[in-house]
Amino acid sequence: GAVVSQHPSRVICKSGTSVKIECRSLDFQATTMFWYRQFPKQSLMLMATSNEGSKATYEQGVEKDKFLINHASLTLSTLTVTSAHPEDSSFYICSAGQEGYEQYFGPGTRLTVT
Amino acid sequence: KNEVEQSPQNLTAQEGEFITINCSYSVGISALHWLQQHPGGGIVSLFMLSSGKKKHGRLIATINIQEKHSSLHITASHPRDSAVYICAVLGGNQFYFGTGTSLTVIP
């Protein structure tokens, strides 16, 4: 099956710094990528939908200036958490696919902000 | 009300038992996913279904589109199956997630 990778798998950063998370589709071209966040003991929450070559669509309550999403190519989307704070510590997951229903999930990135 | 409901929320089973996790949804979907999340958070996509039934090893997933219901079955459960299982449906261009079922298989 199709593979989606995320990098890094774990990252620890200091409060106030920015951290970038990559989501790559390894063997297919992804016109759409989704970014999710998971709080402890909770299910996944959609943050934004990223379409290649256009601006991301953010869900209500998600700060687009804080969570910068770039989908510059058909195989790569990046999520940058800017000026990170401890409350941004979470598990971030992406999924990638083409128009329709073929979506494949990445393994996730655990962010800890100290 | 959640668009996706899973049951049970927590499940403890003895090794070897047959396990069923249920998922009901209220939106029109183009696909349903079963995800497995191990302690530490890593997500593994187990199945993607749009109709019928799929089998992979000891795992079986079924979906009934008319009844808007899916089940995930684990045969001959093993302690390494202990994880959180999440049902996710793709409706339109949006995913809806169940709250997950935490499974513990005791040796």
Side-chain angles (χ1 to χ4, degrees):
Chain A
V3 177
V4 174
S5 71
Q6 281 185 239
H7 177 80
S9 57
R10 289 177 181 268
V11 58
I12 300 172
C13 70
K14 291 188 176 181
S15 187
T17 62
S18 295
V19 61
K20 181 185 287 188
I21 302 169
E22 293 185 349
C23 176
R24 290 183 186 272
S25 57
L26 298 183
D27 56 1
F28 67 102
Q29 293 185 326
T31 52
T32 305
M33 289 183 171
F34 297 89
W35 285 96
Y36 313 88
R37 182 174 178 176
Q38 186 181 40
F39 294 97
K41 298 186 179 181
Q42 294 189 32
S43 192
L44 299 166
M45 179 195 78
L46 179 65
M47 298 175 66
T49 303
S50 170
N51 295 298
E52 187 268 339
S54 63
K55 290 183 179 180
T57 302
Y58 290 81
E59 295 299 300
Q60 192 172 8
V62 179
E63 298 176 62
K64 59 183 178 183
D65 293 331
K66 180 167 185 61
F67 298 99
L68 300 178
I69 291 173
N70 185 292
H71 191 162
S73 76
L74 287 171
T75 59
L76 173 64
S77 177
T78 60
L79 168 67
T80 302
V81 183
T82 62
S83 188
H85 287 275
E87 57 263 32
D88 298 325
S89 298
S90 194
F91 195 64
Y92 294 87
I93 300 161
C94 73
S95 70
Q98 299 176 327
E99 289 293 326
Y101 63 92
E102 297 266 350
Q103 283 286 326
Y104 301 91
F105 285 84
T109 296
R110 184 166 297 285
L111 169 64
T112 302
V113 184
T114 60
Chain B
K1 186 183 184 302
N2 292 332
E3 289 83 358
V4 181
E5 299 279 355
Q6 274 185 248
S7 63
Q9 285 190 318
N10 296 284
L11 181 57
T12 300
Q14 288 291 132
E15 183 173 357
E17 283 186 10
F18 180 84
I19 290 164
T20 297
I21 300 171
N22 295 299
C23 174
S24 296
Y25 53 92
S26 58
V27 295
I29 71 167
S30 52
L32 181 145
H33 295 249
W34 280 103
L35 311 174
Q36 181 190 55
Q37 186 172 33
H38 281 285
I43 293 265
V44 174
S45 182
L46 299 175
F47 295 103
M48 180 172 61
L49 293 164
S50 56
S51 65
K53 174 181 174 178
K54 286 189 176 180
K55 184 177 189 292
H56 185 256
R58 295 181 294 107
L59 302 178
I60 303 167
T62 63
I63 188 169
N64 185 316
I65 297 294
Q66 287 73 29
E67 295 185 2
K68 295 189 173 180
H69 181 268
S70 175
S71 293
L72 175 68
H73 305 286
I74 304 175
T75 62
S77 60
H78 190 276
R80 63 176 174 267
D81 297 326
S82 298
V84 174
Y85 293 84
I86 300 170
C87 173
V89 300
L90 182 62
N93 203 28
Q94 179 176 351
F95 268 109
Y96 302 89
F97 295 92
T99 53
T101 296
S102 179
L103 171 65
T104 302
V105 181
I106 300 170

